[in-house]
mmCIF file of all heavy atoms in Angstrom:
data_model
loop_
_atom_site.group_PDB
_atom_site.id
_atom_site.type_symbol
_atom_site.label_atom_id
_atom_site.label_comp_id
_atom_site.label_asym_id
_atom_site.label_seq_id
_atom_site.Cartn_x
_atom_site.Cartn_y
_atom_site.Cartn_z
ATOM 1 N N ASN A 33 132.621 87.092 37.536
ATOM 2 C CA ASN A 33 131.649 87.449 36.503
ATOM 3 C C ASN A 33 132.108 87.095 35.095
ATOM 4 O O ASN A 33 131.331 87.219 34.147
ATOM 5 C CB ASN A 33 131.324 88.944 36.578
ATOM 6 C CG ASN A 33 130.542 89.283 37.832
ATOM 7 O OD1 ASN A 33 129.755 88.481 38.311
ATOM 8 N ND2 ASN A 33 130.783 90.467 38.381
ATOM 9 N N ALA A 34 133.363 86.668 34.958
ATOM 10 C CA ALA A 34 133.880 86.361 33.622
ATOM 11 C C ALA A 34 133.318 85.031 33.128
ATOM 12 O O ALA A 34 133.102 84.108 33.917
ATOM 13 C CB ALA A 34 135.405 86.293 33.672
ATOM 14 N N PRO A 35 133.079 84.928 31.829
ATOM 15 C CA PRO A 35 132.623 83.649 31.272
ATOM 16 C C PRO A 35 133.717 82.590 31.424
ATOM 17 O O PRO A 35 134.909 82.891 31.386
ATOM 18 C CB PRO A 35 132.371 83.949 29.799
ATOM 19 C CG PRO A 35 132.415 85.429 29.663
ATOM 20 C CD PRO A 35 133.144 85.978 30.839
ATOM 21 N N VAL A 36 133.315 81.343 31.597
ATOM 22 C CA VAL A 36 134.269 80.246 31.780
ATOM 23 C C VAL A 36 135.208 80.145 30.578
ATOM 24 O O VAL A 36 136.413 79.921 30.743
ATOM 25 C CB VAL A 36 133.512 78.915 32.012
ATOM 26 C CG1 VAL A 36 134.471 77.746 32.068
ATOM 27 C CG2 VAL A 36 132.696 78.981 33.287
ATOM 28 N N SER A 37 134.681 80.339 29.377
ATOM 29 C CA SER A 37 135.526 80.230 28.176
ATOM 30 C C SER A 37 136.652 81.267 28.208
ATOM 31 O O SER A 37 137.783 80.978 27.786
ATOM 32 C CB SER A 37 134.683 80.393 26.918
ATOM 33 O OG SER A 37 134.022 81.642 26.919
ATOM 34 N N GLU A 38 136.360 82.476 28.680
ATOM 35 C CA GLU A 38 137.383 83.520 28.775
ATOM 36 C C GLU A 38 138.459 83.134 29.772
ATOM 37 O O GLU A 38 139.651 83.329 29.536
ATOM 38 C CB GLU A 38 136.729 84.846 29.190
ATOM 39 C CG GLU A 38 137.695 86.010 29.289
ATOM 40 C CD GLU A 38 137.018 87.295 29.743
ATOM 41 O OE1 GLU A 38 135.858 87.530 29.345
ATOM 42 O OE2 GLU A 38 137.643 88.042 30.522
ATOM 43 N N LEU A 39 138.046 82.596 30.915
ATOM 44 C CA LEU A 39 139.017 82.172 31.932
ATOM 45 C C LEU A 39 139.878 81.020 31.431
ATOM 46 O O LEU A 39 141.086 80.978 31.676
ATOM 47 C CB LEU A 39 138.294 81.765 33.217
ATOM 48 C CG LEU A 39 137.533 82.866 33.953
ATOM 49 C CD1 LEU A 39 136.738 82.281 35.112
ATOM 50 C CD2 LEU A 39 138.483 83.948 34.444
ATOM 51 N N MET A 40 139.258 80.103 30.701
ATOM 52 C CA MET A 40 140.002 78.966 30.156
ATOM 53 C C MET A 40 141.041 79.451 29.142
ATOM 54 O O MET A 40 142.183 78.990 29.147
ATOM 55 C CB MET A 40 139.044 77.955 29.520
ATOM 56 C CG MET A 40 138.205 77.199 30.535
ATOM 57 S SD MET A 40 136.948 76.115 29.793
ATOM 58 C CE MET A 40 137.951 74.984 28.847
ATOM 59 N N ALA A 41 140.657 80.376 28.295
ATOM 60 C CA ALA A 41 141.569 80.895 27.276
ATOM 61 C C ALA A 41 142.696 81.692 27.918
ATOM 62 O O ALA A 41 143.861 81.582 27.502
ATOM 63 C CB ALA A 41 140.809 81.765 26.284
ATOM 64 N N GLU A 42 142.377 82.461 28.938
ATOM 65 C CA GLU A 42 143.368 83.313 29.584
ATOM 66 C C GLU A 42 144.443 82.499 30.290
ATOM 67 O O GLU A 42 145.624 82.866 30.276
ATOM 68 C CB GLU A 42 142.658 84.221 30.602
ATOM 69 C CG GLU A 42 143.548 85.278 31.225
ATOM 70 C CD GLU A 42 142.751 86.225 32.106
ATOM 71 O OE1 GLU A 42 141.710 86.723 31.645
ATOM 72 O OE2 GLU A 42 143.173 86.443 33.242
ATOM 73 N N ASP A 43 144.074 81.381 30.881
ATOM 74 C CA ASP A 43 145.038 80.569 31.630
ATOM 75 C C ASP A 43 145.406 79.271 30.923
ATOM 76 O O ASP A 43 146.023 78.387 31.525
ATOM 77 C CB ASP A 43 144.467 80.254 33.012
ATOM 78 C CG ASP A 43 144.380 81.485 33.895
ATOM 79 O OD1 ASP A 43 145.255 82.358 33.789
ATOM 80 O OD2 ASP A 43 143.429 81.563 34.701
ATOM 81 N N ASN A 44 145.025 79.153 29.650
ATOM 82 C CA ASN A 44 145.309 77.938 28.872
ATOM 83 C C ASN A 44 144.825 76.684 29.594
ATOM 84 O O ASN A 44 145.546 75.697 29.731
ATOM 85 C CB ASN A 44 146.802 77.820 28.558
ATOM 86 C CG ASN A 44 147.279 78.912 27.630
ATOM 87 O OD1 ASN A 44 146.533 79.346 26.741
ATOM 88 N ND2 ASN A 44 148.499 79.363 27.821
ATOM 89 N N LEU A 45 143.600 76.734 30.085
ATOM 90 C CA LEU A 45 143.015 75.604 30.802
ATOM 91 C C LEU A 45 142.165 74.767 29.869
ATOM 92 O O LEU A 45 141.523 75.290 28.957
ATOM 93 C CB LEU A 45 142.139 76.099 31.955
ATOM 94 C CG LEU A 45 142.821 76.852 33.083
ATOM 95 C CD1 LEU A 45 141.782 77.368 34.064
ATOM 96 C CD2 LEU A 45 143.815 75.965 33.803
ATOM 97 N N THR A 46 142.153 73.483 30.124
ATOM 98 C CA THR A 46 141.253 72.590 29.410
ATOM 99 C C THR A 46 140.105 72.247 30.338
ATOM 100 O O THR A 46 140.154 72.491 31.545
ATOM 101 C CB THR A 46 141.972 71.295 28.987
ATOM 102 O OG1 THR A 46 142.345 70.576 30.161
ATOM 103 C CG2 THR A 46 143.211 71.595 28.152
ATOM 104 N N SER A 47 139.079 71.653 29.771
ATOM 105 C CA SER A 47 137.944 71.267 30.615
ATOM 106 C C SER A 47 138.373 70.193 31.612
ATOM 107 O O SER A 47 137.842 70.118 32.724
ATOM 108 C CB SER A 47 136.773 70.790 29.761
ATOM 109 O OG SER A 47 137.149 69.682 28.979
ATOM 110 N N ASP A 48 139.353 69.353 31.240
ATOM 111 C CA ASP A 48 139.865 68.351 32.180
ATOM 112 C C ASP A 48 140.539 69.023 33.377
ATOM 113 O O ASP A 48 140.409 68.554 34.512
ATOM 114 C CB ASP A 48 140.865 67.413 31.495
ATOM 115 C CG ASP A 48 140.196 66.472 30.497
ATOM 116 O OD1 ASP A 48 138.963 66.264 30.620
ATOM 117 O OD2 ASP A 48 140.898 65.961 29.612
ATOM 118 N N ASP A 49 141.260 70.118 33.120
ATOM 119 C CA ASP A 49 141.891 70.858 34.216
ATOM 120 C C ASP A 49 140.839 71.396 35.192
ATOM 121 O O ASP A 49 141.014 71.337 36.410
ATOM 122 C CB ASP A 49 142.721 72.037 33.689
ATOM 123 C CG ASP A 49 143.923 71.608 32.880
ATOM 124 O OD1 ASP A 49 144.446 70.504 33.135
ATOM 125 O OD2 ASP A 49 144.337 72.386 31.994
#
Side-chain angles (χ1 to χ4, degrees):
N33 291 327
V36 174
S37 59
E38 181 182 323
L39 295 173
M40 289 174 61
E42 187 174 311
D43 291 326
N44 294 325
L45 296 175
T46 65
S47 59
D48 290 339
D49 294 332

